Amino acid sequence: MKNGLATRKLADACEVFADGDWVESKDQSSEGIRLIQTGNVGGGVFKDRGEKARYISEATFKRLRCTEIFEGDCLISRLPDPVGRSCLLPETGERMITAVDCTIVRFNPNQLLPEFFNFYSQSDDYLKAVEAETTGTTRKRISRSKLGQVEIPVPPLPDQRRIVGILDKVFGFIATAKANAEKNLQNARAIFESYLQCIFTKRGAGWVERTVEKLSTNLDSKRVPITKSDRQPGEYPYYGASGIVDYVLDYIFEGDTLLVSEDGANLFARSTPIAFSVTGKYWVNNHAHILKFENMATQRFVEFYLASIKLDEYITGAAQPKLNQKALNSIPIPIPKAVEAQAKIVEDIESLAAETERLESLYQRKVASLEALKRSLLNQAFTGNL
């Protein structure tokens, strides 16, 4: 460890360093003794996940000879993500055990403060040391014996208390600032979505209702899918259900069109837009519908409207969701009859969308900066420079 800090192997600094219990699904029950799992172990925090809590009965506890865990014990997950993350058990008011993929750590109080290790477990030095001892390709993990060999800084207890006190205070400020930034990010999105709902529900004089089929020309018959092995690399975007999936040597469409996802889980999840305007020269496969409009104002209006509504009633299939052409064509769109009115609404929406994107970028940068500050403070704390 840098700057001459004393170190010990993790297992050597503990009074208890043991695996949790092997509890199969058939051993679990709806109440009794709480089973804490790797999903409850966050990066330095305990994730309650109360609605997903699992238990075993007192009889099962005795039959399996389980090891009870207590408030203040440290749990270390030997599974991703990341391997080696830890948390301290809070006061839950429940008796608890933990699963086999968690290591139970009870530190020697004369050597190491649990809170000190819990902060150290979030540092780059610790996570890199654990990563070096992990095995597996598809699913990384670390054995308890390898975990126990990881070197931990062990400064004098007064120094540990000082570091914990500083990090507790500063991390509290950072957590509050991060929560505020994330809340502001949610608010920015909510305001934009609320604005869309207001426009499309209030409507006004001169509005009509037209189906997608009446407003556009469907060009699906001109789509050509190309398997990945047959694609020749080039400069033209190759679009699929959720956007660009590749760049190819040739194009089959040119100009402005609206692409709408035809299939995929994103039709329900909406983690990416299901309707998006494209322009220029490009190729489209058979996972995205392609719609041509007489003018851009109508195209953008329909794009924003589709983004504002749920399409569940038009989608078939749960395991493999699909919005077929007939269903897409039948979606009714409330829209001003005059193109000029459409254009004015689109202009207002685009203006608010641009401001929302600016705010989202700002808040995302703030969250990233706060995370970087945490990493910097942890690095200073455990190299003797805090």
Side-chain angles (χ1 to χ4, degrees):
M1 194 62 56
K2 297 176 183 177
N3 291 352
L5 289 180
T7 66
R8 288 182 69 87
K9 290 182 171 59
L10 176 57
D12 294 340
C14 303
E15 291 183 341
V16 175
F17 189 76
D19 285 344
D21 298 296
W22 184 270
V23 180
E24 299 184 61
S25 298
K26 63 183 178 61
D27 296 319
Q28 298 174 21
S29 60
S30 58
E31 57 183 16
I33 298 168
R34 178 83 176 269
L35 172 61
I36 306 301
Q37 299 177 290
T38 57
N40 297 113
V41 182
V45 296
F46 176 77
K47 296 181 178 180
D48 196 341
R49 303 173 75 207
E51 73 284 357
K52 296 181 179 179
R54 300 182 183 183
Y55 300 85
I56 64 168
S57 67
E58 179 71 29
T60 299
F61 176 83
K62 292 178 178 177
R63 175 172 59 82
L64 297 178
R65 298 180 180 180
C66 295
T67 301
E68 189 165 357
I69 55 178
F70 304 94
E71 174 191 1
D73 282 350
C74 179
L75 295 185
I76 302 177
S77 171
R78 299 201 313 279
L79 298 180
D81 191 21
V83 176
R85 67 191 184 280
S86 81
C87 74
L88 300 182
L89 288 175
E91 174 57 59
T92 65
E94 299 175 296
R95 294 180 65 196
M96 297 176 287
I97 66 166
T98 190
V100 68
D101 289 315
C102 284
T103 292
I104 305 164
V105 179
R106 202 167 296 151
F107 292 102
N108 182 330
N110 295 319
Q111 293 186 20
L112 200 61
L113 299 177
E115 298 83 1
F116 180 86
F117 172 78
N118 200 44
F119 278 121
Y120 182 67
S121 71
Q122 301 171 58
S123 71
D124 290 340
D125 281 350
Y126 168 81
L127 292 173
K128 287 176 183 176
V130 170
E131 173 68 20
E133 301 296 340
T134 59
T135 58
T137 52
T138 57
R139 195 182 193 197
K140 296 272 191 177
R141 64 177 297 127
I142 188 172
S143 67
R144 179 167 59 89
S145 61
K146 289 289 188 182
L147 179 63
Q149 297 301 303
V150 173
E151 293 281 342
I152 306 297
V154 186
L157 289 175
D159 288 346
Q160 292 184 40
R161 293 190 186 96
R162 179 182 64 83
I163 290 170
V164 167
I166 294 171
L167 293 180
D168 263 338
K169 186 173 183 178
V170 178
F171 274 41
F173 290 142
I174 291 174
T176 299
K178 185 177 176 183
N180 288 339
E182 289 173 340
K183 183 64 176 177
N184 288 337
L185 178 58
Q186 294 171 7
N187 287 343
R189 291 170 178 163
I191 289 171
F192 179 69
E193 291 168 3
S194 176
Y195 180 72
L196 288 183
Q197 290 295 326
C198 182
I199 286 176
F200 295 129
T201 54
K202 286 190 175 181
R203 306 177 189 180
W207 283 58
V208 294
E209 193 170 272
R210 296 283 187 268
T211 62
V212 169
E213 186 176 31
K214 296 293 184 182
L215 292 170
S216 64
T217 301
N218 190 292
L219 303 180
D220 285 1
S221 62
K222 300 181 183 297
R223 301 175 301 179
V224 180
I226 317 173
T227 60
K228 189 171 184 178
S229 60
D230 291 334
R231 292 177 211 156
Q232 297 183 51
E235 62 179 298
Y236 302 107
Y238 179 82
Y239 284 96
S242 298
I244 297 173
V245 295
D246 208 345
Y247 287 86
V248 293
L249 191 61
D250 204 354
Y251 64 93
I252 53 175
F253 295 101
E254 184 174 4
D256 299 313
T257 58
L258 179 66
L259 303 188
V260 182
S261 303
E262 181 170 346
D263 48 32
N266 190 55
L267 286 170
F268 289 124
R270 297 293 189 96
S271 54
T272 58
I274 58 101
F276 46 97
S277 290
V278 298
T279 191
K281 298 175 180 179
Y282 46 93
W283 200 292
V284 181
N285 68 19
N286 58 350
H287 295 290
H289 299 292
I290 181 163
L291 305 177
K292 183 73 175 176
F293 293 81
E294 290 187 6
N295 59 76
M296 180 54 71
T298 307
Q299 176 177 315
R300 291 287 281 161
F301 189 97
V302 172
E303 179 182 353
F304 283 125
Y305 181 73
L306 292 177
S308 74
I309 64 170
K310 288 187 175 182
L311 298 176
D312 299 26
E313 63 181 291
Y314 301 100
I315 298 169
T316 58
Q320 296 180 325
K322 185 177 181 67
L323 175 65
N324 62 42
Q325 185 182 127
K326 182 179 179 181
L328 173 63
N329 285 341
S330 71
I331 297 174
I333 309 289
I335 188 169
K337 185 180 293 187
V339 174
E340 295 77 12
Q342 298 171 23
K344 178 62 171 68
I345 291 173
V346 167
E347 182 182 352
D348 291 343
I349 294 175
E350 287 177 337
S351 177
L352 183 58
E355 178 61 13
T356 302
E357 289 177 5
R358 186 189 70 81
L359 290 173
E360 287 181 344
S361 177
L362 171 65
Y363 297 135
Q364 287 166 347
R365 289 199 305 273
K366 284 187 176 181
V367 171
S369 295
L370 290 166
E371 286 298 318
L373 176 59
K374 285 177 64 174
R375 290 193 298 273
S376 174
L377 288 169
L378 288 168
N379 180 59
Q380 293 177 56
F382 303 112
T383 55
N385 296 315
L386 187 60

